[in-house]
Each structure stands twice: as C-alpha cells, then as structure tokens.
Amino acid sequence: MNDNLKPSSKTLHAPNSNRKQGAAITPGPVFSSTFHTHGMPENAPYQYGRFHHPTWEHLESKLGELEGGETVIFPSGMGAIASVLTTILESGDTVIMPNDGYYPSRAYVEQFLIRYGIKMRLSATTDMANISFTDVKLVFIESPSNPMLDVCDISDICAKAHKAGALVAIDNTTATILGQNPLNLGADFSIASDTKALNGHSDMLFGHVASRHTDAINRIRDWRKLSGNIPGPMETWLVDRGLQTLDVRLERQVKNAHKIAEFLVSHTAVKSLRYPGLKDDPSHELASKQMTHFGFIVTFDLGGTEAADHFMANLKMITDATSFGGTHTIAERRKRWGTDDIPDGTIRLSAGIEHIDDILRDIDQALDKL
Ligand SMILES: *Cc1c(COP(=O)(O)O)cnc(C)c1O
C-alpha cells in the first residue's frame, strides 16, 4: 500500500498498519521481555525480547520502506556501524575508512578489529572516488562528512567498488534518509545514527542499518541477537514519534542553516566556511546531484582557539554542546575533542527550528564581542 507514497508520507504510514475498526493509530510500546510461547517456539511470532520484539517491527517496517531495503534497528549509531563492520569483515580483509569522518567509526576498527587480522586503509572523503579498490572487502564512506561537510560521488564509488569486488557501506547520518537514499545510489549498506536528526529531539541514542542483501541483513540480525545490542521498546517507540516530524523539522532546519551560512560567509570574523548549499562551496555540485537538501550543519573557522572559545562563551540562546540534528540550535568548538584533523577555531553549528531572527541575532552579538 505504501509504494506510491512520497518519502515524507512514509515517515507516518507503516506499510502493514492495522486499519481495522478501533485499532490504535499509534501502536504504543510493548513492555514485555517474554511472550506466550506454547509448544514448539517457532510457532510463536514472539518468544523472548532479545530475539524479536513487536515494537521493533513497526519502526523497522517504516524505515525499510524509506530506505528501500530490509532494516535492523540498534540502540545507537555506533551499534549499527559495529554490526556491519563486525559481520562483513573477516581476518585478512581490508576495509577503507574515511580519515575525515566521524572519529569513533575508525577507532572501532583500530581498537577492536585490527586485533582479528583485519586491515584498515584511510582515505579523505574527496579522494574516495579515485583510489584503488583492488583486494578491498568493504569501502566505508560518510557523505557529507562530519564535521567538514565534504561530499563524495556515491554512485561513482559504488560502481567502481563493485567492479573490484568490494562492498560499500555509507554512514548517512548527516543527510538522513530523506536527504539522500544510499541504496538507490548503489550502496550495499545504508547506516545512520538516528540519535541525530531522525529522532531529532536530543533525548536518546539510536541507529539503524538497511540493506538489500538478505544474507548480510540476516547475519546483522543474528549479531544483534547474540551480542545483545538491542534497542528498548520505549526508545524504539519514541524514535518512531520523532520520525513522523522529520520532514517538517528538516524543512525549517535546512532553511535556517542556509540563512546562517549566508550571514556568516561575508562576516569579517569568519576565516572560512563550509555549507554545501552555497554555490561556491566545494561540495555544492555533487550535493546538488545526489541529495534532496543541503543539510542543517554549518562549519566555520574563527581563526583560532581563543576566538572560537570566546564566541561560544558569548552565545546566549545557542547551546554549547556536541551532537547535531536536534530541534535546538547547538554549536561547539569541534577541536576540543582532539580527534579531528581540523583548524583549532572550527565551529560546527547545527541549525535548530527556532525563529531565524533569534538565531542570527545571537550569532551576531557573539561575533560582535570578539
Ligand atoms: C553521532 C554519529 C555517529 C554515532 O552515533 P551514536 O548514536 O552516537 O552512536 C555515527 N556517525 C556519525 C556521522 C555521527 O554523527
């Protein structure tokens, strides 16, 4: 029934929703760890909460429709990323990771998978389409990359990787499934941290993986079951509630981000700025080709630690916090974590849904005092 719906409508209507007289429009979370199981367990649709859960199915079916592939949910984005890396890679395999993407993804390979004989090669996001994929098992990309918003040509990379016999996984967190459809662009795995814009209310962590490879997705589901990396019913239900407003939130956030970028790009205190929506941004052309919006993150350099720290301290409404994609506008001096190879004065700002006048006034007064 969902085939003809636009993606924004698919965030609301589950493919097999119960439309019988009196059925709940929003099926609530089921708080049960165990289920009536008479006789042979395979005759019961649910048996134990680590194997299957009715609350998971509702969200997984919706996300599956949006992604265009079977979807498995996780209690965090890293849970979803680890499920793909751990189930696909074997001893002797090589994985290519972005050296400018979300740091914990490559840290997981470094700290845990290399011990099992897996080899990692690093590449910048903008070089990904030009490197050799010979003898590579998995190419892991992130586009737009966090925090510098570089974009790579997803369908080109997928075509080249597949020709060389490699699989491609994409971290689609910054774009979200409404901003970019990785499986339609040729990727084997679409992964997201739903902690960010998909849930969008900065009140929980969550993640998911989608794929059209049935064997791989079954292995990922087995890994979830056997590693115990399972989401709770309350979080699952709340993420479904967040998903219902993803499209309207994005509309406001993307518009706000664009206006923030336009305001900052000509400001004398700003040394450089990245926003894929600006015509002369290096990501603009590719982003226009493969994305439906330019995102809600603006990354800019104030020229040094001192200026950036002062700017953050001067802000009155915008919150100094890590993460992004929520309803509140938040920002941080990204280098304070020490994990990204970026200028010291880099600010990563995530546009929220506040009135644009309030956001710009706050940024303006904070820059004025530098
Ligand atoms: C936050 C983030 C993750 C990790 O997600 P968690 O939900 O914090 O585990 C992965 N990738 C990107 C791009 C992120 O921003």
Side-chain angles (χ1 to χ4, degrees), residues 244-260:
Q244 295 177 40
T245 56
L246 176 60
D247 190 55
V248 292
R249 282 184 284 110
L250 281 177
E251 207 176 295
R252 171 72 74 90
Q253 286 175 258
V254 170
K255 216 183 273 176
N256 281 352
H258 210 120
K259 287 183 180 151
I260 294 166

Side-chain angles (χ1 to χ4, degrees), residues 76-78 81 102 142 146 171 173 193 195-196 205-206 324:
S76 68
M78 280 313 299
I81 289 167
Y102 187 65
E142 193 179 301
N146 168 20
D171 184 331
T173 302
S193 166
T195 309
K196 312 295 166 55
L205 285 89
F206 213 79
F324 56 81

Side-chain angles (χ1 to χ4, degrees), residues 157-168:
I157 290 169
C158 291
K160 286 174 178 160
H162 291 158
K163 207 165 160 207
L167 295 165
V168 179

Side-chain angles (χ1 to χ4, degrees), residues 82-147:
S83 80
V84 172
L85 295 170
T86 311
T87 57
I88 298 304
L89 298 169
E90 292 175 39
S91 180
D93 284 346
T94 296
V95 59
I96 295 177
M97 301 292 294
N99 64 12
D100 49 6
Y102 187 65
Y103 167 74
S105 305
R106 56 186 188 274
Y108 178 72
V109 179
E110 263 166 22
Q111 292 182 33
F112 294 98
L113 299 186
I114 283 176
R115 298 191 307 159
Y116 298 112
I118 287 155
K119 290 169 265 182
M120 175 169 75
R121 272 170 37 205
L122 295 173
S123 167
T125 295
T126 51
D127 292 340
M128 281 283 183
N130 306 314
I131 59 176
S132 165
F133 299 136
T134 307
D135 296 326
V136 168
K137 179 68 168 285
L138 181 68
V139 182
F140 189 101
I141 58 182
E142 193 179 301
S143 181
S145 63
N146 168 20

